[in-house]
Amino acid sequence: MWTPVAEILVLVAVWVILLHECAAARKAEYDAVIVGGGLTGLSLAHQLKKAGIDKFVVCEGSSRLGGNVISRKMRGGFLIEQGPNSFQPVEEMLEVVSDLDLSLVYSNPKLPRFVYHGGKMHRLPSSLKDFLSPSFTLLSGWAKARLAIGMVGFRKGKPHTDDESVKGWFERNLGPCVYAKIVEPFVSGVYAGDASRLAMRSAFPRIAALEQGPGTAGILWGALARARQRKRAKREYQLPSPPPRGALASFEGGIEQLPRALAEKLGRKACRTGWRCVDIAKDNKGGDFVTTFRLPFGRRRRVTSKVVALALPAHRVSGPLRHLVPEASELSSIPHPFVATVALAYPDDAFRQPLRGFGNLIPRSEGLRHLGSIYASSLFPGRAPKGWQMLTNFVGGSHDPAAEKLSNRQLSRVVDRELRKTVLRDGYRGRGRVLGVKRWPSAIPQPGQGHEDLLSRVQAGVSRHVGLFVDGSWSSGISVGDRIKAGKLLAADVLNAVIRKRFERQ
Ligand SMILES: Cc1cc2nc3c(=O)[nH]c(=O)nc-3n(C[C@H](O)[C@H](O)[C@H](O)COP(=O)(O)OP(=O)(O)OC[C@H]3O[C@@H](n4cnc5c(N)ncnc54)[C@H](O)[C@@H]3O)c2cc1C
């Protein structure tokens, strides 16, 4: 029962919290303030801690850390991913995994990928030889010949512009048929994007770099040179189970195990949630930064620090930087289309064939609304109970902005209906079990033509302020591995700036 004693206790508790916060505010002086508690911010914080810096704080605007990474255990023994489903176990990721004493789970690298075309599911070959084989019927003989001569560097032609589109690049190198049937759905799968509007060098820098030099240099030679380099590079991080070649990775409890473990290692004091950054300014002396946060219940908090690093999505950067770096407002022009992830489960006997594979991609020309499906229960163990299969499906993207208007129920109905065309057997009458629908109003940045110039202008503005850093999936790669790597690279810059500022004061 609510008594005057309870009332007094609550008042005392509130008073103690306020006193504690005021005291913290007065002496708040950090080496580094990290704004954004997604993978980039947490990876940066982890590397700073490893380097011996401990006067830093990660400030996350929402009530949870991890950003786009959301893994949920559902009733009935399902585990769904509502953001990323898997990642490549790149070197920097292996380092962090080893630091945190985590264990990765790997997909079987031989799991096939499929493209749905002409009402049929086509298994994608895993080697160039198999692509060219007569048993691969998705491509015509001419398309295969065009692919082969393009790979070795003939018929390449010249790019029409210096900042070529993804569509232009692949059509020039591999031919229009390979583009339409394989690359276009692949781009939908990675970016939920429109390949004719994405810039090749910004969207796929590693693939773009395979096209070496002028003349007949084909991407095959670039790929071979890279494979040789990779062989020479020795893995530094010894894990109990190193990744099999070509495997994708996750964790037994889903990808969110990673941000949780990072946050735990950083400690509660180093991570604040519910702290939304609204402004960054310089202090009176012009050396340190004063960062203002909006806290729950309308409270505000100002924090001073030598360095501020923003690890935010593009459209969240311009607000806090509107005074210091007006150029950052340009970042809001980077399109981020709506995407929904729809996790559906079906019993084993609902499928045409046993659900085995990484998943499928659907070219826009097929007239289906969903972009493709990841066969989540086939990819990693422990995603669905025995007798069930689970798929993560994607709807929306640059080609379908109207998808945002669909309710969650409509989104899952669309996917359930369309899966009958792609993977479910004819005559299956059951409804898919809806495990979760997650709406991403601004899912993935779409670096278009002129993106590199835009980044240079923003970086020029940022570098006017020693100790200010900005990074995100819009600038250094969208994949989970890219974000972990970006955090590590950023940490080196932050560390230098902290040391420089400490030194200047002595
Ligand atoms: C649907 C979907 C599927 C994906 N699938 C894959 C995949 O399978 N494989 C893969 O490798 N990658 C995938 N990605 C990409 C990958 O998940 C992201 O690029 C990565 O998680 C981004 O991490 P980040 O830390 O840079 O940004 P975010 O995860 O966006 O983190 C930024 C954080 O900053 C916080 N924030 C925003 N504004 C403020 C503010 N003013 N003050 C304080 N905090 C603020 C946000 O709340 C957020 O927590 C996917 C992404 C999406 C959306």
Side-chain angles (χ1 to χ4, degrees):
M1 217 170 73
W2 191 247
T3 64
V5 177
E7 229 167 85
I8 289 167
L9 282 176
V10 169
L11 280 175
V12 170
V14 170
W15 185 241
V16 169
I17 291 170
L18 286 176
L19 273 182
H20 175 78
E21 290 200 345
C22 289
R26 272 197 301 276
K27 60 178 180 190
E29 164 67 21
Y30 292 98
D31 279 333
V33 163
I34 299 166
V35 182
L39 289 180
T40 313
L42 291 172
S43 162
L44 161 60
H46 173 73
Q47 296 293 345
L48 286 184
K49 190 165 179 179
K50 259 178 93 173
I53 300 274
D54 49 17
K55 278 176 74 183
F56 66 82
V57 63
V58 179
C59 303
E60 162 58 39
S62 73
S63 58
R64 59 175 283 284
L65 294 162
N68 285 343
V69 181
I70 307 177
S71 317
R72 292 178 62 198
K73 281 204 165 111
M74 310 303 291
R75 254 192 297 148
F78 294 95
L79 172 64
I80 64 170
E81 296 284 7
Q82 298 200 301
N85 273 256
S86 62
F87 55 83
Q88 285 178 337
V90 295
E91 204 66 29
E92 294 76 9
M93 174 64 88
L94 297 182
E95 176 191 345
V96 172
V97 167
S98 143
D99 293 344
L100 298 173
D101 252 337
L102 290 174
S103 307
L104 289 167
V105 288
Y106 299 114
S107 68
N108 176 352
K110 293 201 177 111
L111 281 181
R113 291 158 194 258
F114 299 90
V115 167
Y116 181 76
H117 191 267
K120 257 176 71 184
M121 208 52 95
H122 297 262
R123 182 188 171 131
L124 283 180
S126 51
S127 71
L128 180 60
K129 200 176 108 222
D130 293 343
F131 257 103
L132 302 177
S133 122
S135 60
F136 180 49
T137 54
L138 180 62
L139 297 179
S140 66
W142 161 241
K144 287 177 188 173
R146 176 65 182 85
L147 167 70
I149 56 179
M151 287 288 287
V152 293
F154 294 108
R155 291 184 57 90
K156 216 169 52 153
K158 283 213 168 86
H160 296 300
T161 103
D162 176 43
D163 197 6
E164 201 174 15
S165 71
V166 170
K167 179 173 192 264
W169 193 93
F170 277 101
E171 283 191 339
R172 188 168 55 77
N173 274 289
L174 305 180
C177 186
V178 170
Y179 165 75
K181 291 185 174 169
I182 297 171
V183 178
E184 187 262 353
F186 164 74
V187 174
S188 285
V190 176
Y191 274 92
D194 177 347
S196 62
R197 281 189 270 160
L198 287 167
M200 185 66 193
R201 273 205 312 260
S202 303
F204 297 105
R206 284 187 282 263
I207 301 180
L210 292 178
E211 190 189 22
Q212 299 171 325
T216 60
I219 58 178
L220 179 65
W221 314 126
L224 290 174
R226 184 166 305 164
R228 275 196 299 274
Q229 264 173 12
R230 232 185 265 145
K231 243 187 209 165
R232 262 182 256 131
K234 229 179 79 201
R235 283 207 185 284
E236 267 179 50
Y237 309 101
Q238 296 306 322
L239 292 173
S241 54
R245 243 185 80 163
L248 291 168
S250 180
F251 300 92
E252 205 180 301
I255 303 183
E256 200 174 334
Q257 220 177 309
L258 177 63
R260 278 200 216 111
L262 280 166
E264 200 180 310
K265 182 119 185 181
L266 291 169
R268 230 161 46 95
K269 276 195 180 158
C271 302
R272 307 282 168 150
T273 51
W275 283 38
R276 180 156 296 276
C277 175
V278 288
D279 188 48
I280 300 172
K282 289 278 187 67
D283 70 359
N284 294 339
K285 291 177 218 134
D288 286 346
F289 294 94
V290 181
T291 308
T292 307
F293 293 92
R294 191 178 298 142
L295 275 54
F297 309 114
R299 289 171 301 151
R300 286 198 168 225
R301 170 71 64 85
R302 281 187 171 173
V303 176
T304 58
S305 60
K306 296 185 182 70
V307 170
V308 175
L310 279 87
L312 298 177
H315 53 286
R316 301 282 182 204
V317 172
S318 54
L321 285 185
R322 65 195 173 282
H323 298 121
L324 279 189
V325 187
E327 299 92 324
S329 65
E330 282 198 66
L331 291 174
S332 305
S333 68
I334 300 172
H336 285 66
F338 166 87
V339 171
T341 56
V342 181
L344 293 180
Y346 296 86
D348 285 344
D349 67 359
F351 295 89
R352 245 170 249 173
Q353 287 168 357
L355 195 73
R356 188 181 171 277
F358 172 83
N360 63 52
L361 294 166
I362 303 172
R364 295 303 78 211
S365 55
E366 290 303 299
L368 297 188
R369 203 148 185 193
H370 76 292
L371 301 165
S373 309
I374 291 178
Y375 304 166
S377 51
S378 159
L379 197 55
F380 298 117
R383 307 290 146 139
K386 206 166 178 318
W388 286 80
Q389 299 295 336
M390 196 258 288
L391 305 100
T392 312
N393 310 280
F394 300 87
V395 187
S398 297
H399 289 285
D400 187 8
E404 191 162 12
K405 298 211 172 72
L406 299 181
S407 66
N408 288 2
R409 198 185 159 89
Q410 286 169 323
L411 284 165
S412 47
R413 286 227 163 141
V414 164
V415 176
D416 179 73
R417 196 172 54 238
E418 293 187 350
L419 288 179
R420 281 153 218 281
K421 296 197 174 139
T422 57
V423 290
L424 298 178
R425 70 174 159 76
D426 292 340
Y428 175 69
R429 298 208 183 284
R431 271 269 168 85
R433 185 157 157 193
V434 184
L435 298 171
V437 177
K438 170 73 187 164
R439 309 174 76 89
W440 294 97
S442 309
I444 293 177
Q446 310 285 311
Q449 280 147 347
H451 188 76
E452 287 173 340
D453 294 340
L454 186 155
L455 293 191
S456 307
R457 289 193 294 276
V458 173
Q459 278 308 338
V462 170
S463 56
R464 280 199 305 270
H465 306 282
V466 177
L468 180 64
F469 300 94
V470 183
D471 199 357
S473 54
W474 44 273
S475 81
S476 47
I478 60 166
S479 76
V480 163
D482 289 334
R483 302 324 313 142
I484 295 295
K485 184 174 174 183
K488 182 171 181 178
L489 293 175
L490 200 52
D493 293 339
V494 168
L495 196 61
N496 275 337
V498 168
I499 292 169
R500 183 174 156 186
K501 287 200 164 186
R502 275 186 189 166
F503 185 71
E504 277 169 4
R505 275 181 207 177
Q506 280 169 4

